[in-house]
Every structure is written in structure tokens, then in C-alpha cells.
Amino acid sequence: MSGKVFLLVSCLTGPPERNGGRQCFSFPINTQGTNISARSYNVIVYNLQIRGKDILVIGGADSAEDVTSQCYKYGAKSITISYRSRPFGHHWPDSIQEVPLLQTIRNKTCSFKDGTIKEVDAIIMCTGYIHHYPFLPDELRLTSANILWPPGLYKGVVWQRNPRLFYLGAQNQYFTFNMFDAQAWFVRDVILGRKAIPFSEVEMEADGGFWRTQQELLTTDEDAIRFQGDYVKALMAETDYPSFDVDTVCEAWYEWRQHKRDDIMTFRDHVYKSAMTGKMSTQHHTRWLEALDDSLESYLRETE
């Protein structure tokens, strides 16, 4: 196998990819039914043919909420959500129930920590992802939970042990493309010699102390959104990245989160104001629960 030597390397593979859910269990997740991860979205909704099926969703974050809602929308007979730490507490439809962590599986029969027994046709793992960079040697590989401030990254992008390596988009994300762009602007300036970085790893680690401390103080979704918004602002202040109203984006996030708390099945029907244009988005022609045609033609069809 031939190799090349590079002076600078940027890792642009984005957020973690490897499912970390199986680490939650001391037994193999093998059943007579179907076992897939939340990333297999088309399989979940279409190929699995979930109408009339009993589905087990394992997880306690956004993916579990989304997959559960999709399964309900497309006609699953029942959905059981198994959580490790705490239930969502939404006012779910009657066919959806939340139970503590899965304990055993025998054929299609699942038992849970509270004594609940349920037969299921499919298990969908929505248990989050871990950083997975098999193409990098150990000394260059980011190892972290999927958090807002991964350790070892100066300004969230420069690998402190070897500042010729950059990671973009490695954080758990509320902001996405704007944050990626701002990170790219910063890395560009480092590569071009416009932005000096501390000489030692100790100095870089000290710079991240503020963000690590702030991360430890986060208690609500709103806190986390504001934290990442402040990070984007900090990157913008370091570069000539085009300014935009980060606070307005945060406000839209807060509003979205509250709509989700109010009604998990209708929050997608709300519209929000663009931070770039100030205009409200167009109300979709069909309520989300009734919009069963996901084609582009259907989505772009004007409201009748």
C-alpha cells in the first residue's frame, strides 16, 4: 500500500458515525425479528414495512423521539421506548409507552427493568454515536463522547497534540452549516499563517478551560443552544466570516424546543423567522402527521 506525506490534514468527516448503543448491554442484541440503527432511516420507514408491527425503540434523545414519531405516523401497531436515564415525559398517543432499560431478549420477547414484558417485531437502536476515526493512528485520533466541547481541540478545531491536524464539525450540534463555515474560516487562516496559535499544548489547553467550565454548568437545552451560539460568535470574532444574527437563531431554537415540549406530534407544523432575511417560512400545505408523501414534488407543491 503506497502512502503520501502531508504537512497539514483536515478531518472533515463530521459528527461521530459509530453507533455506541450496544455498549449499554451485557448481552448480544440478537432476535428473531429485525435490529437496525436510527441512521437507516429509509429502512425504518419504507423497507421495514412497519404498519401493524410492534416496534421497540432504544434511546433517550432526539433520534429516539423522531423515529418513534415516524413509526407512529406510518402505522406501527405499538411503539415501546426503552430509556436508560429518564423518560421523555411527552404526552404520547396511547399506542406509545415508555419503559426503563431493556434487560433481556428471548426470541421476540423483551423484558425491561420495571418488569414490563413485550413482544416486538423490530428493535431500532437510537442510542447515540461515538467518535470513530479508524483511518487515523491512535496519537491523532479524537476519542470523546458526543458533546458540545470535545477535549483536545484548540478553538474546537485544532488537534492540540499535533496542530497540523484539524477536526471540523466534531461537536454535538445545534448550529450546523454556519458553525462549519466559521470553523473553516478559522482553519483557513491558521493554514495561511494569518492566525497564530499557541506554541505549546499546555497553552492551548488553558485556552479551552473557559469552555470546559461553561459546558459543565449547562443544565437545559436552552443553555446548550446558547453555549454553542457563543462559540460561533467567538469564531466569527476571530475571522472575517460574514456576520449574522446568532441571537435570532438561538431564539428560533428556543421556540422550537418549547413547541416540542408542548406537543411532540405537532411541533413540526410550526414556522419560524429567518435570521438572514427576517421573513417567516411558508406554512406547509399538509399537517406533518398527514403528509405521507415525502417526494420533492409533494413537498414543493403550493398550498391549495
Side-chain angles (χ1 to χ4, degrees):
M1 182 176 178
S2 62
K4 294 183 178 181
V5 176
F6 295 92
L7 295 179
L8 298 159
V9 176
S10 295
C11 183
L12 311 177
T13 55
E17 289 290 334
R18 187 178 181 183
N19 192 295
R22 295 174 191 272
Q23 298 177 357
C24 300
F25 305 100
S26 59
F27 54 88
I29 306 297
N30 296 318
T31 71
Q32 289 185 350
T34 302
N35 170 34
I36 57 180
S37 74
R39 282 276 172 101
S40 306
Y41 208 73
N42 289 335
V43 174
I44 294 170
V45 177
Y46 302 112
N47 300 341
L48 190 57
Q49 299 178 346
I50 61 173
R51 181 173 294 279
K53 301 290 181 63
D54 294 302
I55 308 296
L56 170 60
V57 174
I58 301 176
D62 290 343
S63 291
E65 289 177 327
D66 290 342
V67 169
T68 296
S69 299
Q70 288 282 359
C71 289
Y72 175 80
K73 174 179 176 177
Y74 285 93
K77 179 182 177 182
S78 72
I79 306 104
T80 301
I81 308 170
S82 176
Y83 58 87
R84 178 169 57 177
S85 302
R86 61 183 181 276
F88 291 112
H90 297 306
H91 296 295
W92 294 107
D94 292 341
S95 59
I96 300 173
Q97 68 174 137
E98 297 189 72
V99 297
L101 193 63
L102 176 67
Q103 298 295 294
T104 63
I105 303 173
R106 178 167 297 185
N107 298 326
K108 296 173 68 174
T109 302
C110 299
S111 63
F112 302 89
K113 196 172 183 178
D114 65 346
T116 298
I117 304 292
K118 182 77 176 182
E119 285 204 2
V120 301
D121 299 301
I123 299 174
I124 303 175
M125 304 288 286
C126 305
T127 47
Y129 292 83
I130 58 177
H131 286 273
H132 186 54
Y133 305 102
F135 49 87
L136 291 174
D138 290 345
E139 65 271 16
L140 298 178
R141 188 178 300 148
L142 174 63
T143 303
S144 170
N146 187 22
I147 56 178
L148 293 169
W149 193 260
L153 294 177
Y154 175 68
K155 302 297 184 184
V157 290
V158 181
W159 183 241
Q160 293 172 181
R161 298 180 189 175
N162 186 335
R164 292 181 177 273
L165 173 64
F166 310 95
Y167 282 88
L168 275 72
Q171 295 80 4
N172 192 7
Q173 297 156 7
Y174 288 96
F175 287 75
T176 50
F177 292 112
N178 293 120
M179 184 177 72
F180 305 155
D181 279 350
Q183 289 178 329
W185 250 251
F186 184 86
V187 170
R188 175 206 64 184
D189 286 352
V190 172
I191 292 173
L192 294 177
R194 300 173 183 171
K195 179 65 64 177
I197 60 175
F199 177 76
S200 71
E201 183 181 347
V202 173
E203 291 177 278
M204 287 189 277
E205 184 68 18
D207 183 84
F210 167 79
W211 295 103
R212 290 193 304 275
T213 300
Q214 292 303 307
Q215 179 176 241
E216 292 171 359
L217 298 175
L218 304 177
T219 58
T220 67
D221 291 332
E222 286 76 10
D223 291 340
I225 292 164
R226 189 180 305 108
F227 174 91
Q228 195 155 83
D230 288 343
Y231 169 57
V232 173
K233 288 181 184 179
L235 288 173
M236 290 165 59
E238 294 261 9
T239 66
D240 60 352
Y241 182 72
S243 178
F244 69 98
D245 192 344
V246 174
D247 291 334
T248 295
V249 177
C250 289
E251 289 297 329
W253 266 112
Y254 304 154
E255 191 176 359
W256 177 84
R257 277 294 183 188
Q258 187 56 51
H259 288 153
K260 195 177 210 183
R261 295 186 188 107
D262 292 343
D263 193 327
I264 187 64
M265 288 298 171
T266 64
F267 77 94
R268 295 175 180 85
D269 297 327
H270 293 274
V271 295
Y272 303 92
K273 182 186 293 186
S274 168
M276 304 301 175
T277 67
K279 295 181 180 179
M280 294 294 292
S281 58
T282 302
Q283 189 78 45
H284 192 53
H285 53 71
T286 307
R287 292 177 61 243
W288 179 78
L289 273 174
E290 299 167 358
L292 302 179
D293 183 352
D294 286 339
S295 69
L296 181 62
E297 292 75 18
S298 173
Y299 184 80
L300 295 178
R301 176 167 54 87
E302 294 185 4
T303 302
E304 296 176 349

